[in-house]
Amino acid sequence: MKKVVKSSCPLNCWDCCGFEVTVENGKVTKVDGDKDHPITQGKICGRGRMLGDKTNSKERLTVPLKKVNGQFEEISWEQALNEIAEKMSEVKENYSPTAVLHSHDYANTGMLKKLDKRFFNCYGGVTELVGSLCWGSGIEAQTWDFGSSFSHAPDDIFHSKNVVIWGRNVTRTNMHLFHYLQEAKKRGSTITVIDPIYNATAKIADHYISIKPGMDGLVAIGIMKYLVEENKHDQQFIINHTVGFHDLVTLLNSISMEDIVTSAEVSDADIKYLASIYSDGPTSTYLGLGMQRYANGGNTIRLIDALVAVSGNVGISGGGANFGNLQVGNSFNRSALTLPQKKASTRQFTMMKQAEGILSAENPGIKMIFVTCGNPLAQVPNSTKVKQAFESVETLVVVDHFLTDTAELADYVLPTTTVFEEEDIYCASMYHHYVNYGEQLVVPPGEAKSDLWIWAQLAKRLGFGEEFNFSRAEFLEMGLSHLHEHGITLERLKDEKRLSLPVSHVPWDKREFLTPSGKFEFTSLTAEDKGYEGKPHYLPPKESSKSNPLLAKKYPYQLLTIHPLRSNHSQHYILIEALQKIKIEISEDIASEKEISEGDTVTIFNDRGKLSGTVKIMKKAHPKTINVDEGQWHKFGGSVNLLTPDEDSDNGQGSILYDCLVNIEKTNEMF
């Protein structure tokens, strides 16, 4: 029997696509786009299509595993749950619940994936991870400036006279924005792409500007200098709706245009052009994730926010500093799902420095780690230290679909369900404002169980089972409870499959900001309250010729680690044989300087590690730039995170993955 059912993509990306899934004889046979979805309109990427292959993969884990004498043995759920619960009880009794670390990422956007927090809060509160490898610096920066990170509705781009895509390759990471870009261009909007790598988005742009990696904030300063000097800034908005502008002017006056042009490796004409389009709005700015993955990452986003504000493009249709869209996630009743009041104690490590936290923790030390929705051994910076840290604990439990690099280190591996094997609600707090429904379509293989079932079973053994004595539907209604007054219920969502959330389509249009002052803050009171510099300032990347010339002489090339085209982070590498080879992309000048040809085997290296792979030469990339896609498994040759630093960004909430210098040699010449 064959049926086609509307569903949703769960992957943590910008688009949260609507699906049409074909099921035949209890098996997913095809994943297509939902043509009726208002935003994604039937178009989906290869990562979404791969979810059918993921569900059907013969590599799936189907029974619980326990490591005995260095080898995995299949065990029953009863044994696995009893032994894990017993260890958790012992840790709590002998040390503290914070001797347990919950290591997680955001592999799945399902509402009920948040119930892991409910479990650990009811346990008493564990050591938690804060910040984000992906977007943490930018979210914190916009929280300092605006009070939160909100984006305009997708179709508001049609009100933009000019569109600036700054560091976001939308063809790879935000494909439906690409469709809107094409339509906006047809309607007369100019498209400008700023990126160190000439990508497919740049190919449709009216203007492409290449910036030295990590210097985006400096370019924003240059643009603002022209706007202020030529009296093209929005004085009324600045006077009535901002604080700290005088501090920004002090910064602008402290940096010469000559230094900006030289350090950012752009032309004065490029900066004048950008000043002209920001002053001739409405101009919308779409910010990517890469440029805030530096030691100056939060500062970079703050300076671009300031540019958008100075030019009068805040709170107007066709404008905006579009980065995150937290108003989407804020629509749901998170506290009802997670029960934060149950937490008796807590401790926090940043996601980036979790390995350091594990190795240095005292009173109590980390005795047990739970890993959910992530593969930290591949994804967290400085892989060597991560492996050392995860091997140092007494008990490691991993919940996953496959035997990942992290799972291979575990003492217990628990097999969980995929998106098509469980009911949930999905949204993305990054781009559009629709919430999608996905029903259970097929039965999971073997003994694979949902995360919710695992938490409920462990909760029962640990004495707080009543907090999980709800059906999936009841939990979903719990999460939707804030939306009932807007007519959004589980029953209606099941019927219509996707619903528009009650969020602002043009954020800040009433000029009411969520900052302490109620205004846009060039000088942030929130930052000062947290012990940071609140005034706008400029910081260079930590690993650069400007800040560390000796290091830059030893390692002269900038390493970027962009999103893979066919895998959502590390999730699909096991499914696609062609991905299981390391590709090292280099700019044309490096190829010439080092006499490297396409297809050569090379090794990139720095003081943290090394990685070998096959060369691909990037056309029109910024000089001295190397890229290795993130997500590669160590078992397939090694993650790029063997080379990346694990420090926190300037505002403490993001990674500095891109703040990474390397050298390169042909492999046969190096060894």
Side-chain angles (χ1 to χ4, degrees):
M1 182 176 175
K2 177 179 176 180
K3 62 177 180 178
V4 178
V5 185
K6 292 187 185 298
S7 186
S8 175
C9 185
L11 297 177
N12 177 32
C13 92
W14 302 92
D15 295 69
C16 193
C17 298
F19 281 169
E20 287 185 354
V21 182
T22 302
V23 178
E24 297 182 69
N25 301 318
K27 183 177 180 179
V28 173
T29 58
K30 190 176 183 182
V31 180
D32 265 332
D34 174 9
K35 299 177 182 63
D36 298 322
H37 194 285
I39 303 298
T40 62
Q41 298 177 1
K43 298 179 178 66
I44 62 172
C45 71
R47 293 182 288 269
R49 293 187 191 280
M50 283 300 301
L51 292 171
D53 294 332
K54 183 176 187 178
T55 298
N56 298 327
S57 173
K58 294 179 181 178
E59 300 290 333
R60 287 277 302 275
L61 296 171
T62 59
V63 293
L65 302 176
K66 177 183 179 181
K67 190 169 285 178
V68 180
N69 297 324
Q71 300 294 322
F72 281 119
E73 295 183 359
E74 296 183 359
I75 60 174
S76 68
W77 274 107
E78 188 73 11
Q79 179 184 348
L81 295 166
N82 286 344
E83 291 182 6
I84 292 169
E86 183 179 357
K87 291 177 185 294
M88 293 189 74
S89 295
E90 291 173 357
V91 168
K92 185 175 182 180
E93 182 178 349
N94 295 330
Y95 302 98
S96 159
T98 55
V100 175
L101 168 68
H102 177 211
S103 177
H104 65 88
D105 214 307
Y106 304 98
N108 185 304
T109 64
M111 179 188 291
L112 298 191
K113 296 299 177 185
K114 308 294 186 295
L115 293 174
D116 53 6
K117 292 181 174 60
R118 184 186 190 92
F119 173 79
F120 289 113
N121 286 340
C122 290
Y123 173 70
V126 297
T127 297
E128 303 170 316
L129 297 182
V130 296
S132 166
L133 300 175
C134 284
W135 69 345
S137 295
I139 294 297
E140 183 73 359
Q142 293 207 317
T143 299
W144 291 5
D145 298 338
F146 298 96
S148 192
S149 180
F150 295 166
S151 289
H152 290 227
D155 60 0
D156 188 60
I157 196 172
F158 299 139
H159 298 288
S160 303
K161 184 174 183 180
N162 309 294
V163 181
V164 178
I165 307 296
W166 202 324
R168 188 193 300 191
N169 182 3
V170 300
T171 58
R172 182 172 285 208
T173 61
N174 190 186
M175 64 179 291
H176 298 94
L177 173 55
F178 186 72
H179 171 72
Y180 277 88
L181 274 178
Q182 292 173 307
E183 179 60 28
K185 186 172 181 177
K186 288 179 184 177
R187 298 187 186 197
S189 301
T190 70
I191 311 295
T192 300
V193 169
I194 305 172
D195 203 294
I197 295 177
Y198 184 79
N199 52 45
T201 312
K203 290 178 181 178
I204 71 161
D206 298 285
H207 297 273
Y208 166 65
I209 297 173
S210 176
I211 291 181
K212 184 176 182 178
M215 297 296 178
D216 304 84
L218 199 57
V219 170
I221 289 173
I223 301 168
M224 287 188 282
K225 282 177 70 71
Y226 272 120
L227 291 176
V228 173
E229 288 170 4
E230 296 180 6
N231 202 30
K232 292 182 177 179
H233 53 306
D234 189 333
Q235 296 183 51
Q236 287 302 112
F237 177 78
I238 292 168
I239 292 168
N240 295 325
H241 305 295
T242 74
V243 295
F245 181 65
H246 58 286
D247 292 329
L248 177 66
V249 172
T250 299
L251 171 65
L252 301 184
N253 291 336
S254 71
I255 302 176
S256 72
M257 192 63 72
E258 181 182 6
D259 188 30
I260 293 169
V261 168
T262 302
S263 298
E265 298 178 358
V266 297
S267 70
D268 186 69
D270 286 336
I271 294 179
K272 284 182 177 177
Y273 163 73
L274 290 169
S276 72
I277 64 170
Y278 272 100
S279 63
D280 184 27
T283 299
S284 56
T285 305
Y286 291 86
L287 302 168
L289 302 182
M291 62 190 167
Q292 42 96 62
R293 294 176 185 151
Y294 293 85
N296 65 0
N299 178 60
T300 293
I301 301 302
R302 290 205 71 205
L303 289 169
I304 298 174
D305 287 349
L307 166 60
V308 174
V310 164
S311 60
N313 286 294
V314 169
I316 65 168
S317 186
N322 301 286
F323 184 72
N325 202 9
L326 298 188
Q327 55 183 335
V328 172
N330 292 345
S331 300
F332 305 106
N333 192 344
R334 290 177 175 171
S335 61
L337 290 172
T338 61
L339 300 180
Q341 70 276 12
K342 294 285 186 177
K343 189 190 310 181
S345 58
T346 188
R347 175 172 58 183
Q348 295 180 337
F349 298 158
T350 66
M351 189 175 289
M352 295 64 68
K353 294 181 73 67
Q354 59 185 283
E356 183 67 31
I358 294 164
L359 293 169
S360 62
E362 295 180 351
N363 301 319
I366 298 297
K367 304 298 180 183
M368 188 174 191
I369 301 176
F370 263 88
V371 178
T372 64
C373 285
N375 182 11
L377 196 65
Q379 290 297 132
V380 175
N382 200 341
S383 296
T384 302
K385 187 188 290 186
V386 175
K387 187 172 188 288
Q388 179 188 358
F390 277 65
E391 287 178 332
S392 72
V393 299
E394 295 173 5
T395 307
L396 172 61
V397 181
V398 174
V399 181
D400 212 314
H401 305 118
F402 300 106
L403 201 61
T404 64
D405 290 327
T406 309
E408 287 191 337
L409 296 182
D411 298 286
Y412 296 89
V413 184
L414 306 181
T416 190
T417 47
T418 68
V419 57
F420 302 130
E421 297 162 355
E422 60 187 23
E423 178 189 28
D424 215 334
I425 289 172
Y426 304 93
C427 68
S429 293
M430 301 167 74
Y431 181 50
H432 69 74
H433 52 281
Y434 279 82
V435 58
N436 299 341
Y437 174 74
E439 64 182 273
Q440 181 181 351
L441 300 178
V442 294
V443 176
E447 299 176 38
K449 302 291 185 182
S450 70
D451 295 38
L452 174 52
W453 183 90
I454 295 170
W455 301 133
Q457 292 297 315
L458 285 173
K460 188 186 303 182
R461 288 164 171 79
L462 289 165
F464 50 89
E466 71 280 358
E467 301 295 356
F468 282 83
N469 192 24
F470 301 93
S471 66
R472 290 189 79 92
E474 288 171 326
F475 272 124
L476 290 171
E477 283 286 23
M478 205 180 288
L480 292 173
S481 56
H482 282 170
L483 294 164
H484 289 170
E485 63 182 288
H486 299 282
I488 297 177
T489 63
L490 180 58
E491 181 179 2
R492 184 180 168 206
L493 189 54
K494 283 182 175 182
D495 182 53
E496 298 185 34
K497 305 305 180 185
R498 90 289 300 170
L499 292 169
S500 174
L501 293 169
V503 300
S504 174
H505 289 203
V506 180
W508 322 120
D509 58 329
K510 294 182 173 59
R511 306 298 196 270
E512 296 172 356
F513 298 91
L514 300 178
T515 56
S517 67
K519 298 184 176 184
F520 179 92
E521 296 188 357
F522 294 110
T523 298
S524 170
L525 298 175
T526 300
E528 292 174 355
D529 286 345
K530 292 184 175 184
Y532 292 95
E533 172 63 69
K535 294 180 181 180
H537 61 290
Y538 173 70
L539 295 170
K542 186 171 183 179
E543 295 192 6
S544 70
S545 56
K546 197 174 185 70
S547 55
N548 195 335
L550 289 178
L551 185 70
K553 186 175 181 180
K554 185 178 181 182
Y555 302 117
Y557 307 119
Q558 176 77 49
L559 176 64
L560 304 180
T561 62
I562 69 173
H563 198 299
L565 181 62
R566 300 177 67 191
S567 178
N568 199 60
H569 306 302
S570 70
Q571 291 188 48
H572 295 160
Y573 278 83
I574 196 170
L575 303 172
I576 306 172
E577 187 175 351
L579 289 181
Q580 296 167 12
K581 297 175 182 143
I582 298 170
K583 178 176 63 177
I584 297 176
E585 299 179 291
I586 64 175
S587 55
E588 293 172 297
D589 62 299
I590 299 176
S592 176
E593 179 184 338
K594 291 285 190 174
E595 297 182 346
I596 296 171
S597 300
E598 187 133 345
D600 282 350
T601 300
V602 297
T603 298
I604 55 174
F605 56 97
N606 59 21
D607 292 340
R608 288 177 288 269
K610 61 186 178 182
L611 189 69
S612 297
T614 303
V615 164
K616 180 175 176 56
I617 298 174
M618 297 185 287
K619 306 299 182 184
K620 299 185 181 180
H622 201 85
K624 297 184 181 296
T625 301
I626 296 175
N627 173 67
V628 178
D629 288 358
E630 52 94 4
Q632 182 64 271
W633 292 21
H634 291 280
K635 67 175 70 177
F636 300 137
S639 167
V640 70
N641 284 318
L642 288 164
L643 296 103
T644 56
D646 61 351
E647 297 173 56
D648 297 334
S649 64
D650 48 1
N651 57 26
Q653 294 299 304
S655 68
I656 66 168
L657 286 163
Y658 283 19
D659 212 327
C660 183
L661 293 179
V662 298
N663 209 331
I664 184 171
E665 298 290 350
K666 290 183 182 179
T667 302
N668 59 352
E669 294 178 1
M670 185 176 179
F671 299 105

